[in-house]
Amino acid sequence: MTRTSARETFISCVIDALQEAETQLPRDVKEALARAAKAETSERAKEQLYAILENIKLAAAAGLPMCQDTGIPIFSLEIGRETSIDFNLKEALATAVRRATDLVPLREHAVDPITRVSSDEPLFDALYNICDGDELSVAVLVKGAGSENVSALGMLEPTQDVASFVLKTVCENGGKPCPPIIVGLGIGSTFDGSARLAKKTLFRSLDEKENAFEAQMLEQINNLGIGPMGLGGRTTALRVFVEKAPCHTAMLPVAVAIQCWADRKARFRIKL
Amino acid sequence: MSSALKTPIRPEDVRHFKVGDVVYISGVIYTARDTAHAKILSDSQRPFSLRNACIYHSGPLIVKDGPTYRVIAAGPTTSARMNKLTPAIVKEGATTIIGKGGMSSEVANSFSNRCFYLAFPGGCGILAKDRIEEVLDVYYEELGFTEAVWKLQVRDFGPLLVAIDSHGESIYERIQTISRARLS
C-alpha cells in the first residue's frame, strides 16, 4: 500500500471544500435568508428571497453549483508554526483549483486583464498567516464578480465620516451585487492592509455576535430600502462585519468588501 | 399580472406590460454579455437576427459532453455592464432584455414602446437551468464558453419581473430615488 502524500491529501481536501462551498450554502447564511424572507413585508421582496431559497435547495439536492458565476476562490490559510509542509502550498492550491474546474465543475472565466483572452492559469487568491499550533487550517470563500466589482476602497481624510462612505458605496450600487449582501469593512491600516482586513471579515460566521458599530451600520444600510435584488425591501444586507487596525494620523483607509447572498464558504483542518 | 409569452416577442406584445408584472417566456433566447455585445454589433455577418429577439444577460456554466453541450447553471449576470451598448441592440430590433440588477435611465429611455427589461432572480443558476430545454447553437465560441452567444430553447423561463417597462418606467430608478433621499 502506498502512502498518500501530504500534498495529495491537501489537494483532495481543497477540492472537497470547493465542491461543498459551490453547492451548499452554509447553515448560518441559509438561516439569515429564511429570516429575511419572513421579515419582508413587500410581496416582491419575499418572492425574490423565496426564489433564492428554492435555488439553494435545488443546487444542494443536485450537487451542482448554485450560481453560474462559480467565482474566485479566496483561500485563508492559518499555518501552525509547528507544522512541517514538504510541498509548495501555492502550487498545490493551483492544482486543486484546476482539478475542481473539471470535477465540480467550475466556470472557466479567467482572462488576461489586458488582452481579455482566456487564461489557462487557475484563478484564485490566498492569504497566508502563521499561527500557533501543529495544524493547517484552511477556509475558502467563493467571490462572484457582481459583488467584487462594487467593492470599494477609500483613502479618506481623517475628518471624513466612515459611515457616509460605506452607505454611499452601497446606495450607488443598488441591485448590482445581488442583495441581500454581506458587508465586510476594513478600517485603518494601509491602502492594501484595509482591503485585506475587509476581505478577512467575510470568513466570519453570521452567528457571531455583532458589536454596536456593526449593528448600527447594518440598520443604516437596511434603511436605504434597496432590498433583495435592488427591487425594494427591508433586507439590503444580512450582516456587517468590521475589523480595524491602527493607521497613520494623516490617514483613514476604509475598504468595503461586498459579498453577494451566495456567501459560499467552507473550511477544513489537517495535521501535517 | 402574470403572463406567458412565446418568442418571437414583437413590439406590440410588450407595450401593455407595466413595471411589477410577471412574465414567463417560452421559445428561443440568446445569451450575450460584455464582449458579445460588441461583437454582435460590429459583425456585418451576424449569424442571427436581433429583430424581435430576446437577449439574456448571462454567462452560463456549460460543459461539453462529447458532441452535446450540457448546461450546469445559467442565472443572469449584472446588466449594468451592458448599459452603453444596449440602446444599439434595441435599435436593431431586440424587444426583450433579461438580466439582473437593473439598467441605466439611458437604456430605459431607448426602449420607446418597443422593448422591456425583465429581472430574473440573481444568483439562481439552477432555477434558470431547469427551464432550459436545449442548447440550439453557439456563436462566437472563440470568445470562450462564458462570453459566447448561446442560442437556448426555454420553457416557462421565469419568474421574470417587468422591472423596466417599454414606456421607460423603472423600478430601480424609483428605489434609487428613495435610497438617495434617505442618504442625505
PDB file of all heavy atoms in Angstrom, chain A residues 99-115:
ATOM      1  N   ARG A  99      -8.140  21.028 -10.892  1.00  0.00           N
ATOM      2  CA  ARG A  99      -8.904  19.762 -10.876  1.00  0.00           C
ATOM      3  C   ARG A  99     -10.373  20.008 -10.547  1.00  0.00           C
ATOM      4  O   ARG A  99     -11.264  19.367 -11.120  1.00  0.00           O
ATOM      5  CB  ARG A  99      -8.299  18.789  -9.851  1.00  0.00           C
ATOM      6  CG  ARG A  99      -6.967  18.221 -10.311  1.00  0.00           C
ATOM      7  CD  ARG A  99      -6.546  17.086  -9.380  1.00  0.00           C
ATOM      8  NE  ARG A  99      -5.107  16.853  -9.465  1.00  0.00           N
ATOM      9  CZ  ARG A  99      -4.408  16.170  -8.561  1.00  0.00           C
ATOM     10  NH1 ARG A  99      -5.018  15.651  -7.508  1.00  0.00           N
ATOM     11  NH2 ARG A  99      -3.112  15.998  -8.708  1.00  0.00           N
ATOM     12  N   ALA A 100     -10.632  20.936  -9.626  1.00  0.00           N
ATOM     13  CA  ALA A 100     -12.027  21.232  -9.242  1.00  0.00           C
ATOM     14  C   ALA A 100     -12.798  21.801 -10.436  1.00  0.00           C
ATOM     15  O   ALA A 100     -14.009  21.620 -10.547  1.00  0.00           O
ATOM     16  CB  ALA A 100     -12.062  22.214  -8.077  1.00  0.00           C
ATOM     17  N   THR A 101     -12.088  22.495 -11.330  1.00  0.00           N
ATOM     18  CA  THR A 101     -12.728  23.081 -12.502  1.00  0.00           C
ATOM     19  C   THR A 101     -13.421  21.989 -13.322  1.00  0.00           C
ATOM     20  O   THR A 101     -14.535  22.174 -13.794  1.00  0.00           O
ATOM     21  CB  THR A 101     -11.685  23.845 -13.354  1.00  0.00           C
ATOM     22  OG1 THR A 101     -11.103  24.848 -12.519  1.00  0.00           O
ATOM     23  CG2 THR A 101     -12.313  24.484 -14.578  1.00  0.00           C
ATOM     24  N   ASP A 102     -12.800  20.831 -13.433  1.00  0.00           N
ATOM     25  CA  ASP A 102     -13.424  19.711 -14.156  1.00  0.00           C
ATOM     26  C   ASP A 102     -14.427  18.960 -13.290  1.00  0.00           C
ATOM     27  O   ASP A 102     -15.449  18.501 -13.776  1.00  0.00           O
ATOM     28  CB  ASP A 102     -12.348  18.716 -14.618  1.00  0.00           C
ATOM     29  CG  ASP A 102     -11.493  19.312 -15.723  1.00  0.00           C
ATOM     30  OD1 ASP A 102     -12.010  20.173 -16.459  1.00  0.00           O
ATOM     31  OD2 ASP A 102     -10.309  18.939 -15.833  1.00  0.00           O
ATOM     32  N   LEU A 103     -14.098  18.820 -12.011  1.00  0.00           N
ATOM     33  CA  LEU A 103     -14.904  17.951 -11.149  1.00  0.00           C
ATOM     34  C   LEU A 103     -16.208  18.574 -10.656  1.00  0.00           C
ATOM     35  O   LEU A 103     -17.236  17.907 -10.606  1.00  0.00           O
ATOM     36  CB  LEU A 103     -14.070  17.514  -9.939  1.00  0.00           C
ATOM     37  CG  LEU A 103     -12.940  16.520 -10.228  1.00  0.00           C
ATOM     38  CD1 LEU A 103     -12.030  16.360  -9.016  1.00  0.00           C
ATOM     39  CD2 LEU A 103     -13.518  15.160 -10.620  1.00  0.00           C
ATOM     40  N   VAL A 104     -16.175  19.849 -10.259  1.00  0.00           N
ATOM     41  CA  VAL A 104     -17.365  20.418  -9.573  1.00  0.00           C
ATOM     42  C   VAL A 104     -18.566  20.580 -10.523  1.00  0.00           C
ATOM     43  O   VAL A 104     -19.662  20.139 -10.142  1.00  0.00           O
ATOM     44  CB  VAL A 104     -16.984  21.744  -8.875  1.00  0.00           C
ATOM     45  CG1 VAL A 104     -18.223  22.400  -8.281  1.00  0.00           C
ATOM     46  CG2 VAL A 104     -15.973  21.467  -7.752  1.00  0.00           C
ATOM     47  N   PRO A 105     -18.521  21.117 -11.727  1.00  0.00           N
ATOM     48  CA  PRO A 105     -17.416  21.846 -12.350  1.00  0.00           C
ATOM     49  C   PRO A 105     -17.470  23.343 -12.024  1.00  0.00           C
ATOM     50  O   PRO A 105     -18.489  23.847 -11.572  1.00  0.00           O
ATOM     51  CB  PRO A 105     -17.691  21.625 -13.845  1.00  0.00           C
ATOM     52  CG  PRO A 105     -19.181  21.561 -13.946  1.00  0.00           C
ATOM     53  CD  PRO A 105     -19.671  20.984 -12.641  1.00  0.00           C
ATOM     54  N   LEU A 106     -16.353  24.032 -12.302  1.00  0.00           N
ATOM     55  CA  LEU A 106     -16.298  25.485 -12.142  1.00  0.00           C
ATOM     56  C   LEU A 106     -16.303  26.117 -13.533  1.00  0.00           C
ATOM     57  O   LEU A 106     -15.848  25.500 -14.495  1.00  0.00           O
ATOM     58  CB  LEU A 106     -15.024  25.905 -11.404  1.00  0.00           C
ATOM     59  CG  LEU A 106     -14.755  25.239 -10.056  1.00  0.00           C
ATOM     60  CD1 LEU A 106     -13.440  25.750  -9.466  1.00  0.00           C
ATOM     61  CD2 LEU A 106     -15.893  25.508  -9.083  1.00  0.00           C
ATOM     62  N   ARG A 107     -16.796  27.330 -13.624  1.00  0.00           N
ATOM     63  CA  ARG A 107     -16.815  28.007 -14.923  1.00  0.00           C
ATOM     64  C   ARG A 107     -15.408  28.514 -15.247  1.00  0.00           C
ATOM     65  O   ARG A 107     -14.723  29.027 -14.372  1.00  0.00           O
ATOM     66  CB  ARG A 107     -17.800  29.185 -14.872  1.00  0.00           C
ATOM     67  CG  ARG A 107     -18.130  29.752 -16.238  1.00  0.00           C
ATOM     68  CD  ARG A 107     -19.222  30.800 -16.154  1.00  0.00           C
ATOM     69  NE  ARG A 107     -18.773  32.002 -15.449  1.00  0.00           N
ATOM     70  CZ  ARG A 107     -19.514  33.088 -15.293  1.00  0.00           C
ATOM     71  NH1 ARG A 107     -20.756  33.122 -15.775  1.00  0.00           N
ATOM     72  NH2 ARG A 107     -19.072  34.139 -14.641  1.00  0.00           N
ATOM     73  N   GLU A 108     -15.009  28.365 -16.503  1.00  0.00           N
ATOM     74  CA  GLU A 108     -13.683  28.840 -16.899  1.00  0.00           C
ATOM     75  C   GLU A 108     -13.795  30.285 -17.363  1.00  0.00           C
ATOM     76  O   GLU A 108     -14.074  30.540 -18.521  1.00  0.00           O
ATOM     77  CB  GLU A 108     -13.128  27.935 -18.000  1.00  0.00           C
ATOM     78  CG  GLU A 108     -12.906  26.512 -17.473  1.00  0.00           C
ATOM     79  CD  GLU A 108     -12.322  25.578 -18.527  1.00  0.00           C
ATOM     80  OE1 GLU A 108     -11.157  25.761 -18.902  1.00  0.00           O
ATOM     81  OE2 GLU A 108     -13.051  24.677 -18.955  1.00  0.00           O
ATOM     82  N   HIS A 109     -13.592  31.204 -16.420  1.00  0.00           N
ATOM     83  CA  HIS A 109     -13.775  32.614 -16.775  1.00  0.00           C
ATOM     84  C   HIS A 109     -12.553  33.468 -16.500  1.00  0.00           C
ATOM     85  O   HIS A 109     -12.654  34.685 -16.370  1.00  0.00           O
ATOM     86  CB  HIS A 109     -15.035  33.185 -16.094  1.00  0.00           C
ATOM     87  CG  HIS A 109     -15.121  32.876 -14.620  1.00  0.00           C
ATOM     88  ND1 HIS A 109     -16.309  32.696 -13.965  1.00  0.00           N
ATOM     89  CD2 HIS A 109     -14.154  32.705 -13.690  1.00  0.00           C
ATOM     90  CE1 HIS A 109     -16.069  32.442 -12.682  1.00  0.00           C
ATOM     91  NE2 HIS A 109     -14.778  32.450 -12.494  1.00  0.00           N
ATOM     92  N   ALA A 110     -11.380  32.845 -16.408  1.00  0.00           N
ATOM     93  CA  ALA A 110     -10.146  33.615 -16.191  1.00  0.00           C
ATOM     94  C   ALA A 110      -9.649  34.137 -17.540  1.00  0.00           C
ATOM     95  O   ALA A 110      -9.599  33.397 -18.513  1.00  0.00           O
ATOM     96  CB  ALA A 110      -9.087  32.726 -15.553  1.00  0.00           C
ATOM     97  N   VAL A 111      -9.315  35.433 -17.578  1.00  0.00           N
ATOM     98  CA  VAL A 111      -8.786  36.019 -18.814  1.00  0.00           C
ATOM     99  C   VAL A 111      -7.551  36.867 -18.494  1.00  0.00           C
ATOM    100  O   VAL A 111      -7.361  37.291 -17.353  1.00  0.00           O
ATOM    101  CB  VAL A 111      -9.822  36.932 -19.538  1.00  0.00           C
ATOM    102  CG1 VAL A 111     -11.040  36.148 -19.974  1.00  0.00           C
ATOM    103  CG2 VAL A 111     -10.230  38.123 -18.670  1.00  0.00           C
ATOM    104  N   ASP A 112      -6.733  37.126 -19.512  1.00  0.00           N
ATOM    105  CA  ASP A 112      -5.637  38.065 -19.365  1.00  0.00           C
ATOM    106  C   ASP A 112      -6.271  39.452 -19.209  1.00  0.00           C
ATOM    107  O   ASP A 112      -7.170  39.800 -19.973  1.00  0.00           O
ATOM    108  CB  ASP A 112      -4.750  38.017 -20.620  1.00  0.00           C
ATOM    109  CG  ASP A 112      -3.611  39.010 -20.528  1.00  0.00           C
ATOM    110  OD1 ASP A 112      -3.837  40.230 -20.755  1.00  0.00           O
ATOM    111  OD2 ASP A 112      -2.489  38.580 -20.224  1.00  0.00           O
ATOM    112  N   PRO A 113      -5.823  40.254 -18.205  1.00  0.00           N
ATOM    113  CA  PRO A 113      -6.518  41.524 -17.961  1.00  0.00           C
ATOM    114  C   PRO A 113      -6.357  42.537 -19.085  1.00  0.00           C
ATOM    115  O   PRO A 113      -7.174  43.455 -19.214  1.00  0.00           O
ATOM    116  CB  PRO A 113      -5.868  42.036 -16.675  1.00  0.00           C
ATOM    117  CG  PRO A 113      -4.550  41.369 -16.617  1.00  0.00           C
ATOM    118  CD  PRO A 113      -4.730  40.027 -17.257  1.00  0.00           C
ATOM    119  N   ILE A 114      -5.326  42.411 -19.883  1.00  0.00           N
ATOM    120  CA  ILE A 114      -5.111  43.388 -20.955  1.00  0.00           C
ATOM    121  C   ILE A 114      -5.700  42.891 -22.283  1.00  0.00           C
ATOM    122  O   ILE A 114      -6.505  43.573 -22.908  1.00  0.00           O
ATOM    123  CB  ILE A 114      -3.607  43.702 -21.134  1.00  0.00           C
ATOM    124  CG1 ILE A 114      -2.979  44.146 -19.800  1.00  0.00           C
ATOM    125  CG2 ILE A 114      -3.394  44.748 -22.231  1.00  0.00           C
ATOM    126  CD1 ILE A 114      -3.477  45.462 -19.249  1.00  0.00           C
ATOM    127  N   THR A 115      -5.324  41.694 -22.689  1.00  0.00           N
ATOM    128  CA  THR A 115      -5.805  41.199 -23.989  1.00  0.00           C
ATOM    129  C   THR A 115      -7.223  40.648 -23.907  1.00  0.00           C
ATOM    130  O   THR A 115      -7.896  40.504 -24.914  1.00  0.00           O
ATOM    131  CB  THR A 115      -4.895  40.078 -24.521  1.00  0.00           C
ATOM    132  OG1 THR A 115      -4.986  38.958 -23.617  1.00  0.00           O
ATOM    133  CG2 THR A 115      -3.447  40.527 -24.610  1.00  0.00           C
TER     134      THR A 115
END
